[in-house]
Amino acid sequence: MLEYTAEMAGPFSSVTTTTTKKKKNKNKRRFSDEQIKSLESMFESETRLEPRKKLQVAKELGLQPRQVAIWFQNKRARWKSKQLEQDYSILQANYDNLAAKYESLKKEKQALVIQLQKLNDLIKKPKEEAQCCRQVTATNRNDGDKGETTVKSDSEGQLSFSMGRSEHAPGVLSDDDSAIKTDYFRPEEDPNLMSMVDPGDDSLTSPEDWRSFDSNGLFDQSNCGYPWWDFWS
DNA sequence: GACACACTGACCATTACTTCA
DNA sequence: CGTGAAGTAATGGTCAGTGTG
């Protein structure tokens, strides 16, 4: 590296030569390590120099005050872009974190929907059995009406449900009864129930889950001034 | 006090040059 | 040795703040 001497840092007329309309600084030299070190340490304490201090620094380092001012200008610009890069990587990390969380919740939701569907299928079974075995169940019409839901296992190990309901006539499951039952457990036809598993709905997870998610204040609206979701719009 | 003008300093985008792989 | 990329000193344009007539 070329050493930058005090002579090199002389007046601008000696550093630049006006050949064309646009000035070309033919003898541009980098500042010495010593000068850079000194300027860096000053920049750490204050990113802006007062005019008086600038003159003093220029004198100490053998530079033109204009050169010191320009160095601070460029330094501020470099510092700003570096800061921007850092902010970007923080945002990127937070986004990746959020995306992973979203994927995991999506899977969890899918599993729950499948589970719900299976339960729904199980609920439908007793209805079919009730239709083909009406006569048999008629003999037991007074059994099991305790206002409770019971689960029974048949000889083949299949589960079957029955719901005792005190507000209805006791006894066998009528067509109406079973219709009511399946209505209770038919999420695809129940907007309220379906809203719980709607892909666009986050209500499946507790708000605490989201609150506990540490975004390092990324989406703190008091900082941004606009909702975080606008970030992607 | 209101206005126009000149001066100054800061910021920004860009250029010109140096250094290095 | 030539070359492209990265780093950086410097330039030029613009704008805001301030002083002055």
Side-chain angles (χ1 to χ4, degrees), chain A residues 6-195:
Chain A
E7 303 95 88
M8 287 172 173
F12 265 73
S13 56
S14 71
V15 175
T16 62
T17 53
T18 313
T19 50
T20 59
K21 193 175 181 181
K22 196 166 251 180
K23 284 183 181 176
K24 296 189 177 184
N25 36 337
K26 291 210 166 184
N27 294 318
K28 188 172 116 178
R29 293 284 182 275
R30 296 194 174 202
F31 296 161
S32 70
D33 291 347
E34 197 72 20
Q35 287 168 322
I36 296 291
K37 207 172 169 183
S38 185
L39 288 165
E40 291 275 9
S41 71
M42 259 171 258
F43 185 82
E44 267 180 39
S45 58
E46 44 186 339
T47 58
R48 234 170 273 261
L49 276 187
E50 285 180 21
R52 197 182 298 175
K53 181 109 189 215
K54 182 172 68 187
L55 287 172
Q56 184 196 333
V57 170
K59 199 173 177 183
E60 279 174 15
L61 300 178
L63 295 169
Q64 289 293 305
R66 171 79 178 152
Q67 285 180 299
V68 174
I70 286 169
W71 188 90
F72 267 78
Q73 262 179 38
N74 287 325
K75 183 68 183 174
R76 280 194 294 270
R78 274 175 243 139
W79 182 77
K80 199 174 170 181
S81 72
K82 211 168 206 171
Q83 198 70 23
L84 218 58
E85 264 178 43
Q86 279 180 3
D87 288 350
Y88 175 79
S89 46
I90 289 169
L91 275 173
Q92 182 76 33
N94 278 319
Y95 172 79
D96 290 345
N97 200 354
L98 192 58
K101 185 101 179 169
Y102 172 74
E103 282 304 318
S104 136
L105 286 170
K106 212 161 104 180
K107 280 178 187 164
E108 187 185 333
K109 189 201 78 178
Q110 273 174 343
L112 287 169
V113 167
I114 289 167
Q115 206 176 334
L116 192 60
Q117 188 62 46
K118 278 180 183 171
L119 287 170
N120 193 31
D121 289 346
L122 285 172
I123 292 302
K124 282 178 183 168
K125 254 191 180 156
K127 176 189 173 184
E128 292 158 7
E129 285 170 6
Q131 281 174 337
C132 68
C133 309
R134 191 178 296 266
Q135 284 181 334
V136 174
T137 53
T139 61
N140 300 325
R141 92 176 28 194
N142 292 326
D143 294 342
D145 189 15
K146 307 262 194 312
E148 293 171 357
T149 300
T150 59
V151 181
K152 292 176 180 173
S153 178
D154 63 17
S155 57
E156 293 171 9
Q158 291 276 351
L159 288 173
S160 63
F161 289 72
S162 67
M163 297 177 71
R165 297 210 313 278
S166 57
E167 68 272 28
H168 278 69
V172 67
L173 289 173
S174 67
D175 285 345
D176 285 343
D177 284 333
S178 56
I180 291 166
K181 267 169 60 178
T182 50
D183 278 348
Y184 281 157
F185 294 95
R186 193 174 290 162
E188 68 274 18
E189 289 175 14
D190 186 341
N192 290 330
L193 198 54
M194 282 309 285
S195 72

